[in-house]
Amino acid sequence: EDQVTQSPEALRLQEGESSSLNCSYTVSGLRGLFWYRQDPGKGPEFLFTLYSAGEEKEKERLKATLTKKESFLHITAPKPEDSATYLCAVQPASGGYQKVTFGIGTKLQVIP
Amino acid sequence: KAGVTQTPRYLIKTRGQQVTLSCSPISGHRSVSWYQQTPGQGLQFLFEYFSETQRNKGNFPGRFSGRQFSNSRSEMNVSTLELGDSALYLCASSLALPGSSGANVLTFGAGSRLTVL
């Protein structure tokens, strides 16, 4: 069974204080690993897709990396508007086109 | 371009009642899936549809059902509601096609917040 574990569950940072969020996963063949951002009262919003170990993607202050067992979301010099819950998810190579296994998420708070 | 639209946004029901939630996918998206989100369990897959056919189903009891219409709009129904069914129900759509090998980016709606009393 596919599993995704995210840590920490909650993270409080001062504005400008860089950090990383961790996502450990087990999946029977990886089709893709996703990072989503979810704001209160809204649905998850897509950030990145990673396909294979060694891949990296960047968007503004966010950088996602992937190994065979983990993914990291690095946040450089965060701003208060980066406060949200960040979700990691994996899609297996077989068994459904939209069936994705999500972690519980890391709730990030960035304090001015 | 309109996003995924879910209605109603909020609803309150009592135990034993049933509820129907509606989802209109992004225009051109024929794949629709539903997820239940709770604080303790996170997002859990309910089911997915393509061209009015259920392609996959998650580990939920038969009280949870869904369907997709010819215009790709989808509904999910929960019968005999229980307190534990209180959750945010999220609908997602994508361009995924059967047999495609690429990862399918899901676009989510804002969700329907169900409270069961």
Side-chain angles (χ1 to χ4, degrees):
Chain A
E1 186 178 326
D2 304 333
Q3 284 192 318
V4 177
T5 303
Q6 292 187 247
S7 61
E9 289 187 10
L11 182 62
R12 195 174 182 189
L13 298 174
Q14 290 292 134
E15 184 172 1
E17 179 186 2
S18 302
S19 187
S20 295
L21 312 183
N22 176 264
C23 169
S24 298
Y25 67 93
T26 56
V27 65
S28 53
L30 180 68
R31 182 182 297 201
L33 182 141
F34 304 94
W35 283 97
Y36 285 85
R37 168 192 171 128
Q38 187 173 24
D39 292 295
K42 295 186 177 181
E45 178 184 346
F46 171 74
L47 292 173
F48 303 108
T49 307
L50 300 168
Y51 296 94
S52 58
E55 190 175 1
E56 300 182 350
K57 287 192 176 174
E58 288 188 67
K59 181 180 180 181
E60 297 180 358
R61 295 175 292 282
L62 301 177
K63 179 180 178 180
T65 62
L66 181 65
T67 71
K68 287 187 176 180
K69 294 185 178 181
E70 292 179 304
S71 179
F72 295 92
L73 185 65
H74 308 277
I75 303 177
T76 302
K79 297 182 178 182
E81 53 261 42
D82 294 322
S83 298
T85 296
Y86 291 85
L87 300 167
C88 175
V90 295
Q91 186 171 49
S94 62
Y97 313 104
Q98 295 206 118
K99 183 177 181 181
V100 176
T101 299
F102 283 84
I104 289 182
T106 293
K107 187 173 182 179
L108 173 66
Q109 183 183 15
V110 182
I111 304 164
Chain B
K1 187 177 182 181
V4 177
T5 304
Q6 292 189 244
T7 57
R9 287 294 314 278
Y10 303 92
L11 65 166
I12 300 173
K13 295 285 186 178
T14 57
R15 282 181 298 174
Q17 288 186 311
Q18 75 165 13
V19 66
T20 299
L21 308 177
S22 179
C23 171
S24 293
I26 290 174
S27 179
H29 286 192
R30 295 165 63 189
S31 293
V32 174
S33 56
W34 289 88
Y35 287 80
Q36 180 196 66
Q37 187 175 29
T38 58
Q41 300 292 324
L43 277 91
Q44 293 189 290
F45 173 78
L46 281 159
F47 23 66
E48 67 176 290
Y49 291 89
F50 180 84
S51 291
E52 303 178 66
T53 301
Q54 187 178 92
R55 298 285 175 165
N56 214 337
K57 182 171 167 51
N59 189 24
F60 279 82
R63 300 184 297 107
F64 292 80
S65 63
R67 58 178 176 169
Q68 186 182 32
F69 302 96
S70 58
N71 61 359
S72 295
R73 193 177 68 84
S74 178
E75 287 182 348
M76 67 164 283
N77 183 276
V78 188
S79 62
T80 320
L81 284 166
E82 300 178 358
L83 295 178
D85 296 333
S86 295
L88 180 67
Y89 289 89
L90 291 161
C91 172
S93 72
S94 80
L95 288 168
L97 298 174
S100 61
S101 58
N104 302 311
V105 175
L106 305 182
T107 301
F108 286 88
S112 293
R113 171 77 62 184
L114 171 65
T115 301
V116 182
L117 302 176

